[in-house]
Amino acid sequence: MNITKFALSVSNVLLVWLQDKLLSIIQNINLIHLRCWFNLLLCFCLWCLVLLVANYGIVYRKVYPQVPPKVEYSLTEFGISMRPMLDAMMTWGEQYKQIMCLNMMNAQL
């Protein structure tokens, strides 16, 4: 038997075994595990967003050298200057939400 054919047959066996194991793991995951993974993913995304906003200079991030770690965030002057725009976006969102709720209620009638 050629070594290449042997390596391919071993890799095929390993792939089938791995696929079976992954399927059994996926089938055994319950809603609690999914909720935990979703919460971890959400925390990671929020952390990345805060770092991104800090890198753009909208938020000031102060890290204190202590255990457990302590971090404080505050708006920079640039962040404060964005306040009227953010307030306008929030007002628009609330109005849009009310319009959508009314449209959904009318559609159900």
Side-chain angles (χ1 to χ4, degrees), residues 7-20:
L8 286 175
S9 64
V10 169
S11 65
N12 285 340
V13 169
L14 287 174
L15 285 175
V16 169
W17 177 81
L18 184 61
Q19 182 181 8
D20 289 342

Side-chain angles (χ1 to χ4, degrees), residues 47-82:
W47 178 71
C48 289
L49 183 62
V50 167
L51 289 180
L52 182 68
V53 171
N55 285 338
Y56 279 121
I58 298 169
V59 171
Y60 176 71
R61 182 176 187 259
K62 182 172 183 173
V63 180
Y64 293 93
Q66 66 184 40
V67 176
K70 178 182 174 183
V71 181
E72 287 183 356
Y73 297 94
S74 59
L75 283 175
T76 61
E77 290 295 321
F78 180 57
I80 292 171
S81 72
M82 296 175 72

Side-chain angles (χ1 to χ4, degrees), residues 82-95:
M82 296 175 72
R83 183 78 189 248
M85 178 196 56
L86 294 173
D87 288 340
M89 288 175 65
M90 190 166 110
T91 303
W92 176 85
E94 289 170 352
Q95 291 171 352

Side-chain angles (χ1 to χ4, degrees), residues 12-63:
N12 285 340
V13 169
L14 287 174
L15 285 175
V16 169
W17 177 81
L18 184 61
Q19 182 181 8
D20 289 342
K21 286 294 179 188
L22 287 175
L23 284 175
S24 67
I25 290 171
I26 289 170
Q27 290 169 353
N28 290 330
I29 292 178
N30 59 19
L31 187 60
I32 295 171
H33 290 111
L34 289 176
R35 193 172 294 152
C36 289
W37 280 106
F38 179 76
N39 287 338
L40 285 173
L41 182 62
L42 181 64
C43 289
F44 179 73
C45 290
L46 288 174
W47 178 71
C48 289
L49 183 62
V50 167
L51 289 180
L52 182 68
V53 171
N55 285 338
Y56 279 121
I58 298 169
V59 171
Y60 176 71
R61 182 176 187 259
K62 182 172 183 173
V63 180

